[in-house]
């Protein structure tokens, strides 16, 4: 069986628990950080899950390890295939190298050199395409047909969602360890693999805690889809610096879970994302990329009323380049 | 009893274990990070203990919590007193606020603004002095004599050393958890509280692992003292951007432990510290300040031959201001 023929079924809480077992000793159990001075400023207790500290610099490694572990032994020799210009590429490439599986990653030739270089350095074969004249799905399907490689989707896959959901299990356990009762959790959202996985995990491990998606303005397809109850799409001409999460519309499985389990969707401006990066630098000493900072940005900019509350936010990735980080630090801060 | 009358006796391994119990549920158990691409570049396995993620942004909180917990109830109302360029200041200020103890902190007027501001924000009274024309020990002893406050020394105190040593216990346990056999550990060194504590902990928890101090060039008093077997002092005109660790000479207790337990001392240039900050940004997604980066810098710049080895380094603090961090990121990197 390869992923192209796999049914689009939602994972269950037990799948998240099984993923956690598979990730043991591989993924970093990232700490749950908080900064007293930031708490004082916000008059709230903000708990930050820094997945920028995860292997390959983002949470994507979790889903990749879990999904790749589910590939039957007999299919592994034919390799895996993924499309991505960023964090999913690196997560799949590194997870594949650990399992001794050949990875082919289809990346746009104008992707940042560092991301292409990192993906190659993790041992993957990178296939570059021209995003303006070529279709990556066609290239992927041709390669999959030729080689029998398993396609590893970035979010709309039960194994991927369950892997990302392990973050929710850890948040629930780590909050309990410090005696914190969560009033809300905010999670960055592109296609929705992370937020739906975390919502699924919390529904089992800490039921009743409201979970919110956070997206860039103009890419708030999840927020609008949750509001309307059907798949909404973003304006194809929209642009954002939050490159990791500028997907056109929620996934089928991820929206199915989100519709059932999310309390709502929040959206932040690029400026608010940059300010959150600067706050993460100053108060938490972590490097967060724009797309990884939108959940923190939603909390800091008051998109959710967190006053007097205990709120966890996921900082989902840290693969920012020096120029973007410097831009965030140079903004006027109070 | 106040600290001025406390004997300068070295702590034992059991004191580090007791400190670990006192820190449970208060200090962050910082993860042991590694970056596959950095490992590949170095042809080594580099394990990074990011104490920048500790409460107040540096390891100093550990020693402060432990030391303040040892103050008899009857003495607490008279407060505590500390001198520090910044990280010990914040650690003591925050630990004191948690325990409801009044803290007065003597800081050089040219300390980073962030550190002075944070120390005040943690609730301490800050007393500024000129580090080139005034003697902070004299100021501290005068205030202690007037108020009866307990002087909390930054490093030459058994309670402080035992507290910092809990990092060594965690390194030993976390390395064992991932099946890593340590060939060496490198630790940032100012007065030596951290490196002597870590050496003491490893001597008990992972005996036989060589531990090295790392210092800025021109502030390599520990390295030279280890070589000569007696207290060496730095040139009073020396300057370094590593403001957290520019102490004149090793402490009495810390040098006593270090002489017995350290394998040697390493020194790095300011440029090498900045390059290590940039590498920590790029590969590990953590914010490290110059003085907190010297152990990593020693590993990256080949001050110790780490090829083919498994080496742990402590990144001891992350209280860098935006200007210094931007300076590190703007350097030409390979």
């Amino acid at each position: 069986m390869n992923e192209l023929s796999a049914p689009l079924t939602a994972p269950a809480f037990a799948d998240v628990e099984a993923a956690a077992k598979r990730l043991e000793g591989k993924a970093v159990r990232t700490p749950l950080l908080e900064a007293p001075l930031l708490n004082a400023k916000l008059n709230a207790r903000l708990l930050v899950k820094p997945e920028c500290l995860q292997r390959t610099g983002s949470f994507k490694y979790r889903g990749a390890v879990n999904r790749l572990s589910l590939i039957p032994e007999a299919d592994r020799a034919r390799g895996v295939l993924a499309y991505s210009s960023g964090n999913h590429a690196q997560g799949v490439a590194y997870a594949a190298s650990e399992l001794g599986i050949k990875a082919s990653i289809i990346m746009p030739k104008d992707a940042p050199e560092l991301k292409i270089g990192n993906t190659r350095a993790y041992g993957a074969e990178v296939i570059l395409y021209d995003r303006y004249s070529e279709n990556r799905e066609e290239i992927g399907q041709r390669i999959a047909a030729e080689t029998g490689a398993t396609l590893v989707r970035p979010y709309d896959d039960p194994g991927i969602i369950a892997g990302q959901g392990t973050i929710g299990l850890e948040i629930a356990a780590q909050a309990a360890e410090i005696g914190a009762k969560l009033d809300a959790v905010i999670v960055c959202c592109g296609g929705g693999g992370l937020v739906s996985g975390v919502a699924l995990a919390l529904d089992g491990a800490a039921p009743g805690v409201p979970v919110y998606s956070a997206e860039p303005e103009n890419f708030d397809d999840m927020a609008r889809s949750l509001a309307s109850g059907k798949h909404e799409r973003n304006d194809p001409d929209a642009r954002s610096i939050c490159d990791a999460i500028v997907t056109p519309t929620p996934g089928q499985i991820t929206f199915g879970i989100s519709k059932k389990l999310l309390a709502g969707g929040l959206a932040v401006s690029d400026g608010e994302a940059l300010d959150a990066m600067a706050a993460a630098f100053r108060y938490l000493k972590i490097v967060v990329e724009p797309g990884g900072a939108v959940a923190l940005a939603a909390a800091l900019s008051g998109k959710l009323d967190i006053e007097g509350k205990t709120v966890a936010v996921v900082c989902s990735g840290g693969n920012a380049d020096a120029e973007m980080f410097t831009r965030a630090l140079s903004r006027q801060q109070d």
Side-chain angles (χ1 to χ4, degrees), chain A residues 155 190-191 219 221-222 224 232-235 245-250:
Chain A
Y155 48 85
F219 289 91
D221 48 294
M222 179 64 86
R224 289 183 293 110
E232 303 288 348
R233 298 188 72 84
N234 298 314
D235 179 346
I245 54 173
V246 289
T247 41
T249 191

Side-chain angles (χ1 to χ4, degrees), chain A residues 165-233:
Chain A
T166 58
I167 292 166
L169 295 184
E170 292 177 17
I171 289 173
Q174 291 170 319
E177 281 165 20
I178 56 171
K181 200 193 150 297
L182 294 170
D183 294 308
V185 176
I186 313 176
V187 184
C188 306
C189 178
L194 177 59
V195 72
S196 63
V198 169
L200 189 63
L202 288 170
D203 187 52
V209 178
V211 178
Y212 296 84
S213 61
E215 295 166 295
E217 281 177 0
N218 303 322
F219 289 91
D220 60 340
D221 48 294
M222 179 64 86
R224 289 183 293 110
S225 299
L226 289 171
S228 74
K230 61 186 176 61
H231 273 83
E232 303 288 348
R233 298 188 72 84

Side-chain angles (χ1 to χ4, degrees), chain A residues 5 15 34 63 81-82 101-102 108 110 112 132 150 176 201 218 253 255 315:
Chain A
S5 60
D15 295 313
E34 66 183 311
L81 178 71
I101 299 177
K102 179 181 183 306
D110 59 345
Y132 304 107
T150 301
N218 303 322
I253 310 177
F255 183 50
C315 285

Side-chain angles (χ1 to χ4, degrees), chain A residues 127-325:
Chain A
I127 298 141
L128 298 175
Y129 76 103
D130 185 328
R131 69 168 102 202
Y132 304 107
S133 67
E134 295 179 274
N135 182 309
R136 69 177 191 178
E137 282 77 7
E138 278 173 18
I139 298 168
Q141 287 177 11
R142 177 168 48 74
I143 294 173
E146 283 168 10
T147 64
T150 301
L151 179 65
V152 181
R153 292 194 174 89
Y155 48 85
D156 222 15
D157 178 299
I160 292 287
I161 295 167
Q164 325 301 30
T166 58
I167 292 166
L169 295 184
E170 292 177 17
I171 289 173
Q174 291 170 319
E177 281 165 20
I178 56 171
K181 200 193 150 297
L182 294 170
D183 294 308
V185 176
I186 313 176
V187 184
C188 306
C189 178
L194 177 59
V195 72
S196 63
V198 169
L200 189 63
L202 288 170
D203 187 52
V209 178
V211 178
Y212 296 84
S213 61
E215 295 166 295
E217 281 177 0
N218 303 322
F219 289 91
D220 60 340
D221 48 294
M222 179 64 86
R224 289 183 293 110
S225 299
L226 289 171
S228 74
K230 61 186 176 61
H231 273 83
E232 303 288 348
R233 298 188 72 84
N234 298 314
D235 179 346
D237 292 331
R239 295 289 179 270
S240 167
I241 60 167
C242 301
D243 60 281
I245 54 173
V246 289
T247 41
T249 191
Q252 296 296 328
I253 310 177
T254 59
F255 183 50
I257 296 170
S258 297
K259 213 162 39 169
K260 207 174 127 195
L261 297 180
L262 295 198
L266 313 170
V268 303
S269 69
D270 281 358
E272 287 164 342
L274 287 167
D275 287 344
M277 290 168 67
F281 163 84
R282 175 173 176 167
Y283 292 105
L284 299 157
K285 316 303 177 189
I286 55 174
V287 174
V288 188
E289 65 184 284
V294 296
L296 178 61
L300 298 184
S301 64
K303 296 298 184 298
L304 189 71
D305 179 14
I306 64 170
E307 188 153 339
K309 295 182 177 155
T310 298
V311 176
V313 302
V314 178
C315 285
S316 53
N319 292 314
D321 62 28
E323 291 71 22
M324 185 62 79
F325 204 75

